[in-house]
Amino acid sequence: MTDLVSLLESRLGAAFAAVAGEQVDPVVRRSDRADFQADGALRLAKPLRRNPRDIAADIVAKAELGDLCEQVEVAGPGFINLTLADGAMSGLVSGLAGDDRLGVPVDERLETAVIDYSSPNVAKEMHVGHLRSTIIGDAAARALEWLGHTVIRQNHVGDWGTPFGMLIEHLLDVGEDEAARELTLGEMADFYQAARAKFDADAAFQERSRRRVVLLQSGDEETLRLWQVLFDDSARYFQQVYDRLDITLTPADLAGESSFNDQLADVAAELDRLGLLRDSEGARCVFPAGFLGREGEPQPVIVVKSDGGYGYSTTDLAALRHWVRDLGATRLLYVVGSPQAQHFAMLFQVAREAGWLTDTVHAEHVAFGSILGTDHKMLRTRAGSSVKLSALVDEAVSRAKAAVEEKNPELDEQTKRDVSEAVGIGALKYADLSNDKVKDYVFDWDRMLSFDGNTAPYLQYAHARIRSIFRRGEADPAAYRDVAIDVEHPAEHALALHLLGFNAALHRAVENVEFHRLCGYLYELASEFTRFYEQCPVLRADAERRASRLALCDLTARVLARGLGLLGITAPDRM
């Protein structure tokens, strides 16, 4: 076991139980005054009617920690301070270095997780508003997969509804070849705006568009073929953006609203059979428990509209039911902005009342805040329009290239291009993921591309710096993975201690989809390595110490690379 908190809790647990007469949480956490601190004795003072310091002293006397801790002492009102022995640390961190999974086992209880993320609209430009969903969702998919879970990515694109009558008629006006050119080259904003302007100005075009909607919804063969042209061209454009951003979504993950059309009537019928549907002002609705308006009136989820059609709530219910029943999902993650919180809360309650969500099948709205400009308003271009995602990526890479050239002008052109892509795209992703997802954050090029502070370039540079040690020493990193690591210096102790926290840090991040926690861990790891490198000679050390420290360097680089990789960020070997 390399999760030190769990290891200490297991050792202390028996002593706490012996003193308390029942199982008690030792409450172990990292400490500034020692390596760890156990606070559980304070909670026993009232039920045992004893001084918590005396309780803590009894626990220390009974705990079997001699092979693990160099010092165990009672401090303050009853804290137990724990300092690990260097010898114990040496064995634990050596085991970590020899483990391909870096001390992170596959989870014991495995789930099938459906992750709904990105979700652009067909025939519309991907813009900065899609960035957070895409980045957060992809990190969740990567991390859950690495922990052994089955992950089903679902890109629930908007590909149905009344605007498609207008878009199809515009496609016919400009020609399929020209439409394909605009859509696949990312000129969707122009295509959509031209269709919208024509619709607003031309009554005949409006009428044609409305007739086309009827044909689309009734399944007219030629209309469906034209709709498919729009869908396919848009899908190719989406994939270009995903590939550039190193996002793991593929065309096979597209799950458009249209794919659930044939299930909507059955969803309504099932809800009716369950006695959940009620008539309300001509519509058929579910009134989920616990949702009331300002006047205390029940709030509806409209399943069948007054005109007999179905809205997006019905489509979302159909998708949820399909993911649970047909795909076997036990965990559903909807990576969607915070403004949709009420919608998802009501959706999940309807699904629980229908029996689709149970104690073993749960859904989560992974809500996130907005991206703001330096003026603390919604990030937009100077002209006031949404920032195109492709343009944002281009600028990130361009700015990164300038920074890389300044940092290391000796790099060859191909390496410079590769590193610029890795740094620019990594900076975009890390700037997002390193912030608490529920909060808005300010988009600041200078800060996110800085080689100092809690940024992707800083972490990437730390990884490249470690790899340069091996190149200078003409040493193969793989040759040191079975070398025993001897923890002796305080800086080695601090670095080893942090490396042994990788498993716990990753699980804290994944449990509630809070990747800022993993980012914080990686930043602290890079900082600990910097302190170690400044205080502990590596290549100039004697042979035995040199081998041990090279093994510690390699382990640090591997944890940095793995952690960044789970965030979807490349860790270059050269920068």
Side-chain angles (χ1 to χ4, degrees), residues 288-303:
F291 293 91
L292 303 175
R294 292 181 180 177
E295 305 299 324
E297 72 280 11
Q299 292 295 291
V301 171
I302 299 173
V303 177

Side-chain angles (χ1 to χ4, degrees), residues 335-349:
V335 189
V336 183
S338 297
Q340 294 297 313
Q342 174 86 347
H343 167 71
F344 283 110
M346 296 179 75
L347 182 78
F348 298 159
Q349 181 58 29

Side-chain angles (χ1 to χ4, degrees), residues 457-480:
Y458 174 74
L459 298 181
Q460 290 169 316
Y461 186 70
H463 177 268
R465 186 183 191 186
I466 296 171
R467 290 304 176 212
S468 73
I469 296 171
F470 287 90
R471 288 194 297 275
R472 292 200 312 273
E474 298 181 344
D476 177 9
Y480 293 87

Side-chain angles (χ1 to χ4, degrees), residues 524-537:
E524 290 169 10
L525 176 60
S527 300
E528 290 292 356
F529 176 80
T530 298
R531 283 187 281 272
F532 155 78
Y533 189 65
E534 289 170 349
Q535 298 176 35
C536 300

Side-chain angles (χ1 to χ4, degrees), residues 131 371-372 379 392 396 399 423-432 434-435 441-458 460:
L131 190 65
I371 302 176
L372 307 179
L379 183 64
L392 198 70
R399 287 173 176 263
V423 171
I425 291 168
L428 277 179
K429 290 183 175 183
Y430 194 87
D432 193 301
S434 60
N435 287 278
Y441 78 90
V442 174
F443 191 94
D444 184 331
W445 285 117
D446 291 339
R447 185 172 62 190
M448 70 173 60
L449 285 165
S450 173
F451 281 83
D452 296 310
N454 188 13
T455 66
Y458 174 74
Q460 290 169 316

